[in-house]
Amino acid sequence: KGENGTLSREDFQRIPELAINPLGDRIINAFFPEGEDQVNFRGFMRTLAHFRPIEDNEKSKDQNGPEPLNSRSNKLHFAFRLYDLDKDDKISRDELLQVLRMMVGVNISDEQLGSIADRTIQEADQDGDSAISFAEFVKVLEKVDVEQKMSIRFLH
Amino acid sequence: NSDGKKAGEEGSQQRERGKKAPTKDQKESENKEKKTNKKAKEGENKQKKDRRNSTTSASSNSSDEESLSEEELAMLMEQVEQKKKLISTMRNKPWRMVKKLSVLREAQAFVEKFEGALGKGKGKKFYAYKMMMAKKWVKFKRDFDNFKTQCIPWEMKIKEVESHFGSSVASYFIFLRWMYGMNLVLFGLIFGLVIIPEVLMGMPYGSMPRKTVPRAEQATAMDFSVLWDFEGYIKYSALFYGYYNNQRTIGWLKYRLPMAYFMVGISVFGYSLMVVIRSMARNANESTADGDDDNFIFSWKMFTSWDYLIGNPETADNKFASITTSFKESIVDEQESNKDENIHLRRFLRVLANVLIICCLCGSGYLIYFVVKRSQTFSKMQNVGWYERNEVEIVMSLLGMFCPPLFETIAALENYHPRIGLKWQLGRIFALFLGNLYTFLLALMDDVNEKLAEEDVVKNVTHWTLLGHHNSSAGNSSTATPPPLDPADVPRGPCWETTVGIEFVRLTVSDILVTYITILVGDFIRACFVRFVNYCWCWDLEAGFPSYAEFDISGNVLGLIFNQGMIWMGSFYAPGLVGINVLRLLTSMYFQCWAVMSSNVPHERVFKASKSNNFYMGLLLLILFLSLLPVAYTIMSLPPSFDCGPFSGKKRMYEVIQETIELDFPLFVAKIFSYVANPGLIIPAILLMVLAIYYLNAVAEAYQRANAELKKKMQMQREEEKNKRNNKASTNPMLQDLEDLLTPSTKSESHPKEAEDEKRESPNRTSPVGKGGKAAAPDSSPMTAGRRAAFTLPPHVFVTQPPSLGVRAPYPGQPRPRWHPPGPVPGRGRGQPHYSRAAQ
């Protein structure tokens, strides 16, 4: 809105869908590089590139180069980073609790939330470290059609 | 690279045709851009482009001929197809907008230019014309589809309801809309083929006895109270069966009305059946497409439950609430599975509850029977008050209103899981309504039989009256034709079909009224009360006792289904009933949408909408069959009234078909039908159909099993891949000892089974037996699991032997490079225990 070529956090928070989203603040943070308060067009585009639809014949192309930003793995990584706040590549029980608290408000007691978090970790954790690593996260969501759901199509 | 070559060829083709492409280079570069699938958002690879340019210029030195050879034609066609495919998949490509547009335009121009050229010689123009027409047809179809989507009524309303109340409430409205469509078609059928011809081409009102109000009733025929009971003028109108004349053909079109009446009656059921089954099949398709993964319930709820497309704050609050309740539900699910109560007490309570409910059902059935009997005696009396006249309908509606909550309170004894409890509740309400309906029908049948007996008497009376009238008039004047008796004076038989029709119409109307009043009072007035009186009331009305009403989906859907059942039953005897229902559904849609938005609150408990859709369709199908039975019975076995309706004078209603076949069709058709109706032909046909059903059922089951097997295989593969990647040890030391004891052959044979077992085991292995870095071979874990399998499933061993040996091949190979074995590996089988021992 300020029309100075960059976006600030307030501009994002004007979008209603982001404002009422419990994870809205984290999504907004994902746009901004470390420690900065402004994002220019390039950075904005870079984040949105995660949401490009995936082309079918891209899979057969060179695997050697860096993976494109909109691959399934990178999309999932984007989602993973929303939950992993301290960026240690694991979603710990506390981080889960925080997300749960944001999603359900005060309607569920703390101990129930704790048991939900425990149950989630129990379901997803394969290597027993009481946290969800990226690989486990991928495994949980492998049935979800991430390529379709995390894509924005233009020319619709 | 092949794409690049094609681009080059295409460029050369262009030049061969001698057409100037001024921006040929640019076009070629864009072609190459198109063909190379770009992943990065950066600009094109300039070096690639230069390289390809050189190759095209090299190949462009080929001959420039005007005529097309066969292979060039084929190549050209291929390119055109390619371009078309590109155009259709353009939207999914992750390119920049400018690039997309330019490539699109170029491809379209190419297709347009060269498609016409594909025809040979004289056929060129025709081919081009054909292509153009095909394109126009596609465009027309697309526009028509868009138009059709716009025409769907009430889409915005339903979307609004959906966003506020969720998909389950919206599914009720979608069901309502679907029923409206079906009823509209039925109404069109009946109205167009039966009512209109009779009204336009048949004898007008007052010309015949059956169409005139009898003299005795004429005084009161216009009273509102009489009209409300559907007596008086309404009874003798096209709305009811009795109005229709039994003339074989009417009007100058020679329209066969009785035949049409009969066929329309049958086709009402046929069309409804078709539509319901088609809808069920469609729903079944969609539901099997869903994944039914129970593995990651909580994780999925955690990570994927927010709907990112919600923009409305109130909807967001609803979504919060629904996420909350969804978690609560899952917790309840978990608790239910962990409950370990006194089984005997529970069983006793459940039996008790069922006994109570059966008592209630019987009681209600008897009550209805009693009331209907009473109403028959009332109809013979003179001064009947309003209550007595409408007693039957009132009682039925009251039962429908109060019994379901009663069932719910009794069901609290049973202590089922909420979802199962809901199904029981629906089943019981269904049984209640069904019992009521059938009791009503039985009572009605008694009534009909009485009327049939009465009819014989009246027939004689009419006969003698007419005879007497003729004699007297013949005596008076000597004209050949006696003046006809005024139709109003002819003694009338008790037209039982019209009576039945009237009963159904009255039941429907009272049902409509009761529903509307319930909504008005139960929802709207209650909401007003809670909202406004809350300020000066002792306890919090909104949170406490009355609070706002929730939308009772199941009650409403069942009401709709039963209403439709009554319509189906009654439409044969009262053609106007479907019209009344259409009006009812139309007003109901607006009224209920308004009521829901203004006075209901979203559900506390989230109701999974998708799986129940087929449940309701199944109920509808059941009701359709059940309502077909009485109609079929009356058509086949009861004689029609002698003086009213299109079948009067016949012995049975279906004789109209025989009559039509004999008189209207050529002779051989009658012979054909008589052969076909031979039992010797029909019974084998029925047997054949039964066999076909059995066969198709078996095939469907086989497909399902194959589906499950494939799913299992896929999961197996994923497990193995994951194991390979993680390289972890999840072996049981006890099983490793067993490994050593077994021979190698059994190990290799039971490989597929062990992988299955492994998959089954892995969710239970929450804390793997960590063995540090040097894990045992990944396939040792499937193998250890397979030990058990080998013991428990010997028959499978032999079956799976041939493929497993081949499948096993990669696995032993892979771990070997990772951790070098101490010595040369003698063989796969014997090598394995060696490894696991080493890992120990």
Side-chain angles (χ1 to χ4, degrees), chain A residues 22-72:
Chain A
L23 296 176
D25 284 333
R26 300 192 185 187
I27 296 177
I28 295 174
N29 276 335
F31 278 91
F32 293 84
E34 284 293 328
E36 290 187 19
D37 276 339
Q38 303 277 332
V39 61
N40 62 5
F41 184 63
R42 194 179 200 78
F44 180 74
M45 208 175 57
R46 184 160 270 281
T47 311
L48 274 189
H50 286 294
F51 289 92
R52 259 173 65 190
I54 297 188
E55 263 194 50
D56 281 335
N57 37 14
E58 281 196 30
K59 292 187 193 137
S60 57
K61 280 298 176 170
D62 53 307
Q63 312 277 17
N64 310 327
E67 259 182 62
L69 280 175
N70 66 336
S71 73
R72 183 195 168 95

Side-chain angles (χ1 to χ4, degrees), chain B residues 187 190-200 238-239 244 257 575-576:
Chain B
F187 176 66
I190 293 185
F191 193 68
L193 292 178
V194 172
I195 298 186
I196 292 278
E198 179 69 25
V199 164
L200 289 183
L239 248 49
Y244 295 86
L257 187 73

Side-chain angles (χ1 to χ4, degrees), chain B residues 788-830:
Chain B
R788 279 184 253 145
F791 291 130
T792 54
L793 303 166
H796 289 267
V797 164
F798 305 102
V799 171
T800 58
Q801 186 174 4
S804 61
L805 285 178
V807 170
R808 282 265 290 171
Y811 295 105
Q814 285 193 339
R816 254 182 253 132
R818 281 190 219 152
W819 41 281
H820 37 276
V825 180
R828 295 196 199 111
R830 271 189 291 136

Side-chain angles (χ1 to χ4, degrees), chain B residues 562-688:
Chain B
F562 274 99
N563 178 55
Q564 188 62 37
M566 288 197 287
I567 302 292
W568 276 324
M569 272 199 256
S571 68
F572 190 74
Y573 299 110
L577 187 57
V578 183
I580 297 179
N581 199 35
V582 165
L583 281 176
R584 170 236 164 91
L585 288 175
L586 191 61
T587 50
S588 186
M589 175 58 110
Y590 288 108
F591 183 57
Q592 281 191 303
C593 268
W594 166 80
V596 152
M597 297 295 287
S598 71
S599 13
N600 281 103
V601 287
H603 276 245
E604 272 191 32
R605 219 169 28 180
V606 180
F607 195 102
K608 284 197 185 150
S610 58
K611 287 194 186 142
S612 319
N613 245 347
N614 245 5
F615 182 60
Y616 292 139
M617 281 295 165
L619 281 183
L620 197 63
L621 195 64
L622 189 62
I623 291 276
L624 177 59
F625 277 125
L626 290 176
S627 55
L628 179 59
L629 287 178
V631 177
Y633 173 72
T634 50
I635 290 182
M636 289 299 161
S637 51
L638 289 184
S641 303
F642 75 98
D643 66 342
C644 66
F647 307 116
S648 59
K650 301 199 175 43
K651 268 193 58 187
R652 291 273 183 273
M653 290 190 197
Y654 56 80
E655 283 179 10
V656 71
I657 297 188
Q658 285 169 332
E659 199 189 6
T660 315
I661 294 178
E662 280 166 27
L663 297 179
D664 289 329
F665 286 111
L667 266 179
F668 68 89
V669 176
K671 267 202 204 153
I672 292 178
F673 269 109
S674 67
Y675 287 148
V676 167
N678 189 358
L681 204 61
I682 291 193
I683 293 186
I686 294 182
L687 276 179
L688 194 66

Side-chain angles (χ1 to χ4, degrees), chain B residues 393-467:
Chain B
E393 286 83 20
I394 293 180
V395 166
M396 280 183 76
S397 313
L398 282 178
L399 274 178
M401 222 162 38
F402 287 118
C403 278
L406 181 65
F407 289 165
E408 261 186 65
T409 38
I410 296 183
L413 273 180
E414 287 182 336
N415 207 1
Y416 274 126
H417 183 282
R419 215 175 299 142
I420 303 181
L422 189 67
K423 286 227 156 92
W424 275 95
Q425 173 76 355
L426 282 176
R428 283 179 188 136
I429 300 181
F430 185 76
L432 174 75
F433 281 174
L434 206 60
N436 292 352
L437 203 58
Y438 262 71
T439 320
F440 175 74
L441 277 180
L442 283 177
L444 213 57
M445 280 309 296
D446 282 349
D447 201 19
V448 166
N449 285 330
E450 257 184 45
K451 288 222 155 58
L452 279 177
E454 203 183 310
E455 202 178 291
D456 288 333
V457 174
V458 176
K459 214 193 271 193
N460 283 339
V461 169
T462 318
H463 188 67
W464 284 114
T465 322
L466 276 173
L467 214 55

Side-chain angles (χ1 to χ4, degrees), chain A residues 52 55 103 119 140 142-143, chain B residues 94 293 300 320 334 718:
Chain A
R52 259 173 65 190
E55 263 194 50
M103 281 214 296
R119 179 59 204 262
V140 166
E142 71 180 337
K143 282 255 176 79
Chain B
D293 206 339
W300 277 25
F320 269 120
E334 284 298 306
R718 259 184 253 128

